[in-house]
Amino acid sequence: MDLLALAKNIADRVEEEASAAQVSVTVTVIDVHGNSILQHRMNGALAFSMLISHRKAYTAALTQQRTSDLFELVQPGKELFHLMSQDTFCAMGGGAPLIHDGVVVAGVGISGGTVAEDVGILEEALQPRRHELRESI
């Protein structure tokens, strides 16, 4: 599997969805070892979105969960509260694991809009496309 090609495809999808929503975002893809594969900042995306998207992608890759699903688990007194003491983790919505053949191969994170906008853009970008379904049948 070509991880860079997958990352480019996801970045293209995110940019398409973000453009439709009129939100400039940064998208980052990180492999399961925490290494950067790709970071793409759309024109107009704020500079800090680069850091936040990186943290969301890193968190999704290493925990193999959507960052929005972690929010409750990192609250004081909860089982993953200690993660928030690490600079590289982020439990804001907008990060998701990337799965290939049933295995998590990377994490993707986007930042630039509100949390709800980031989550919505990412969820739309991760939906299978009709033409891809036809090609795999």
Side-chain angles (χ1 to χ4, degrees):
M1 190 223 19
D2 185 346
L3 193 52
L4 181 58
L6 175 65
K8 287 178 178 180
N9 180 272
I10 293 296
D12 288 345
R13 290 170 172 226
V14 166
E15 184 168 3
E16 180 182 322
E17 295 299 331
S19 293
Q22 297 183 333
V23 178
S24 294
V25 300
T26 297
V27 57
T28 303
V29 178
I30 305 262
D31 72 15
V32 294
H33 305 289
N35 301 306
S36 293
I37 302 301
L38 174 143
Q39 186 168 68
H40 174 74
R41 181 174 162 225
M42 293 174 63
N43 289 333
L46 298 174
F48 76 87
S49 67
M50 295 170 66
L51 174 64
I52 302 302
S53 69
H54 184 276
R55 289 181 179 178
K56 290 178 183 182
Y58 182 88
T59 302
L62 273 67
T63 65
Q64 300 187 5
Q65 295 185 50
R66 282 177 155 59
T67 54
S68 57
D69 293 343
L70 294 172
F71 183 76
E72 291 300 321
L73 299 173
V74 298
Q75 299 305 308
K78 298 291 183 170
E79 60 196 79
L80 297 181
F81 176 66
H82 67 281
L83 282 181
M84 292 299 91
S85 67
Q86 305 300 311
D87 288 342
T88 52
F89 285 94
C90 180
M92 287 190 302
L98 294 178
I99 301 168
H100 180 74
D101 290 338
V103 176
V104 175
V105 295
V108 58
I110 71 166
S111 179
T114 65
V115 172
E117 288 171 330
D118 290 350
V119 170
I121 291 166
L122 182 60
E123 292 303 321
E124 285 299 317
L126 293 178
Q127 292 298 313
R129 308 287 192 193
R130 255 189 274 227
H131 71 277
E132 290 173 355
L133 292 175
R134 276 185 262 147
E135 289 173 4
S136 64
I137 294 176

